[in-house]
Amino acid sequence: PGLIVLLAACLASQTFQAQLSGVVRDAAGAVVPNARIVATNIATGVQYTAESNQEGLYRFLALPPAQYK
């Protein structure tokens, strides 16, 4: 019985999150370091920000599932 209760507690505490990543490039195709990227939740207007690294890579690690622009 203890295992069943523990499993139920683990399932109840699960959260759903999305990850989004990409590369920022300019019109010539060169990577853009230190660019500010904003993901805006269309339904709520809440904004999440990330910054590209020296290779132009950015990553949002824990976005709530939604549609973003």
Side-chain angles (χ1 to χ4, degrees), residues 10 13 16 20 22 25 46 53 60:
C10 290
S13 67
F16 296 96
L20 175 66
R25 296 184 183 275
V46 174
N53 64 15
F60 293 93

Side-chain angles (χ1 to χ4, degrees), residues 1-68:
L3 179 60
I4 293 172
V5 172
L6 178 60
L7 180 58
C10 290
L11 291 176
S13 67
Q14 287 182 343
T15 59
F16 296 96
Q17 298 177 335
Q19 293 187 16
L20 175 66
S21 60
V23 178
V24 180
R25 296 184 183 275
D26 65 16
V31 298
V32 179
N34 306 314
R36 182 173 181 256
I37 300 93
V38 178
T40 304
N41 182 315
I42 294 171
T44 65
V46 174
Q47 294 184 333
Y48 301 87
T49 60
E51 187 173 311
S52 63
N53 64 15
Q54 294 302 313
E55 291 80 37
L57 300 170
Y58 67 89
R59 181 176 296 160
F60 293 93
L61 294 177
L63 292 173
Q67 291 184 328
Y68 292 88

